[in-house]
Amino acid sequence: MQKTALVSGAAGFIGSHMCDRLLAEGFNVVGVDNMLTGTARNLSHLAGEPRFDFVEQNVSESFSVPGSFSHVLHMASPASPRDYLEFPLETLEVGSAGTRNMLQIAHRNEAKFLVTSTSETYGDPVVHPQVETYWGNVNPVGPRSCYDEAKRFAEAMTMAFHRKYGVRTSIARIFNTYGPRIKLNDGRVVPAFLDQALHGKPITIFGNGSQTRSFCYVSDLVDGLFRLLLSDEIYPVNLGNPLELTIREFAERIIALTGSTVSISYEPLPEDDPRQRKPDITKAGRLLGWQPVVGLEEGLRKTVEYFQSLEDAVPSR
Ligand code: UDP
């Protein structure tokens, strides 16, 4: 039987790559996005694709999409700190009402449901690396709470639909991801540092740069999401690259890769910025046979090529 996936957040960075993967796997795909933080450019290459349809819709409002679905993926949400701090209410709504609406569609269609949660459910973690059984250390009233708690609520809502109605559900906890289609100006560290290094602007390290992150290339992440979608695992699964760097080390890698001579400027650390983050991916390896394969340098090169292709596409005056 022909498989058809409904994907919210289809015009987003990871959502658009997931649509590509589903199409490559033979699915029909209906993408939904309200274009709050997504961009039409991420889907422009699918304009002539007969197995892809796009619906502009806020999934936090009640809505219906014609057709029946074998798979429902709820990937919509502002995801960078800059975006969710600008849109805190929309972030809370898409994690709560949006998750509920997507789960109802999955329930009605007896479809497999996958929600993209986040490493932010661990907050500022005291268990390191983060393992799925860790309950986290989230400030419920801090500036990041709109995102962290929305995603924690989304996980709880997903488990409730599974327990109450037997919906087949999976929960992916996504760690920092980068690659083509990440927004150049969304404030995240990968596009920020690349933009600065490529354009001769000082690299802005927040705090003293001793906080750590672990960066996963988008094709690796999407491969993990696809495997999870096809699996029977109900409980959360971490997806990320366990190569952990301090932000200062990361800045040095970017400077070396781009051959840039820019200086480093130290700026205040945002409130509640997690001090350390590294996924324990033992569970994904065991259950899904998954592990990331793209190295940081290769992934960053492809991201640089993407940013340069965007600049080339802008007509010069
Ligand atoms: N960061 C930084 N300079 C920037 C942007 C981010 O030093 O211009 C730091 C930020 O404080 C955090 C890390 O890089 O410690 C990752 O930030 P990002 O916004 O990419 O995502 P987060 O992992 O915090 O959600």
Side-chain angles (χ1 to χ4, degrees):
M1 200 189 83
Q2 178 59 43
K3 291 177 178 157
T4 302
L6 178 68
V7 181
S8 72
F13 161 46
I14 300 175
S16 65
H17 283 285
M18 195 66 199
C19 290
D20 288 346
R21 176 66 187 261
L22 290 163
L23 289 164
E25 298 285 347
F27 282 64
N28 290 338
V29 178
V30 177
V32 186
D33 204 300
N34 68 346
M35 312 310 283
L36 182 69
T37 57
T39 146
R41 188 179 56 230
N42 289 344
L43 295 174
S44 57
H45 60 290
L46 297 178
E49 170 55 65
R51 286 184 294 114
F52 181 75
D53 280 323
F54 180 74
V55 179
E56 188 165 337
Q57 170 66 46
N58 181 358
V59 297
S60 303
E61 295 161 2
S62 102
F63 72 102
S64 62
V65 187
S68 56
F69 302 101
S70 55
H71 296 74
V72 173
L73 293 83
H74 183 36
M75 306 186 69
S77 179
S80 81
R82 180 180 291 173
D83 282 348
Y84 61 70
L85 293 175
E86 186 180 352
F87 301 113
L89 299 176
E90 291 85 348
T91 302
L92 283 156
E93 280 161 10
V94 77
S96 52
T99 304
R100 186 185 181 125
N101 289 337
M102 294 295 283
L103 275 159
Q104 272 166 342
I105 293 173
H107 183 207
R108 217 179 300 131
N109 283 269
E110 294 179 17
K112 170 70 196 275
F113 177 86
L114 180 142
V115 64
T116 47
S117 183
T118 169
S119 55
E120 285 275 333
T121 57
Y122 302 120
D124 187 10
V126 296
V127 169
H128 192 76
Q130 289 76 58
V131 66
E132 290 89 345
T133 46
Y134 175 47
W135 291 352
N137 178 34
V138 169
N139 175 356
V141 292
R144 299 173 86 103
S145 64
C146 60
Y147 186 65
D148 301 10
E149 298 292 13
K151 291 290 192 181
R152 290 170 69 98
F153 185 93
E155 292 192 7
M157 179 75 84
T158 300
M159 292 306 299
F161 265 74
H162 171 70
R163 293 194 174 107
K164 176 101 180 150
Y165 301 119
V167 178
R168 291 170 296 129
T169 54
S170 287
I171 298 170
R173 287 194 182 142
I174 299 178
F175 284 64
N176 295 64
T177 303
Y178 70 99
R181 302 187 198 153
I182 197 167
K183 278 199 297 180
L184 186 60
N185 60 351
D186 78 358
R188 283 192 270 201
V189 71
V190 176
F193 284 7
L194 283 177
D195 176 46
Q196 291 158 350
L198 292 171
H199 296 105
K201 304 181 238 178
I203 300 252
T204 53
I205 290 185
F206 298 164
N208 64 11
S210 64
Q211 72 272 33
T212 69
R213 294 293 187 273
S214 311
F215 299 100
C216 187
Y217 188 67
V218 65
S219 60
D220 281 338
L221 190 269
V222 162
D223 186 48
L225 288 175
F226 186 71
R227 287 168 188 245
L228 182 58
L229 181 69
L230 300 189
S231 85
D232 294 327
E233 180 57 15
I234 307 299
Y235 287 98
V237 177
N238 288 340
L239 295 174
N241 190 318
L243 173 72
E244 181 185 17
L245 296 172
T246 68
I247 291 304
R248 199 167 350 163
E249 286 166 343
F250 185 62
E252 284 157 11
R253 297 273 189 118
I254 297 267
I255 288 170
L257 177 91
T258 55
S260 175
T261 54
V262 291
S263 60
I264 289 182
S265 113
Y266 288 89
E267 316 262 333
L269 189 67
E271 196 178 336
D272 291 344
D273 198 284
R275 277 162 294 179
Q276 52 182 357
R277 186 182 291 155
K278 169 183 174 168
D280 181 322
I281 57 168
T282 312
K283 183 173 178 182
R286 190 181 67 244
L287 288 182
L288 312 176
W290 176 82
Q291 62 171 17
V293 295
V294 180
L296 186 63
E297 184 161 331
E298 182 189 351
L300 287 174
R301 279 191 199 289
K302 289 184 175 159
T303 312
V304 167
E305 279 166 25
Y306 166 74
F307 286 142
Q308 286 172 338
S309 74
L310 289 186
E311 286 180 17
D312 293 346
V314 175
S316 53
R317 283 189 262 176

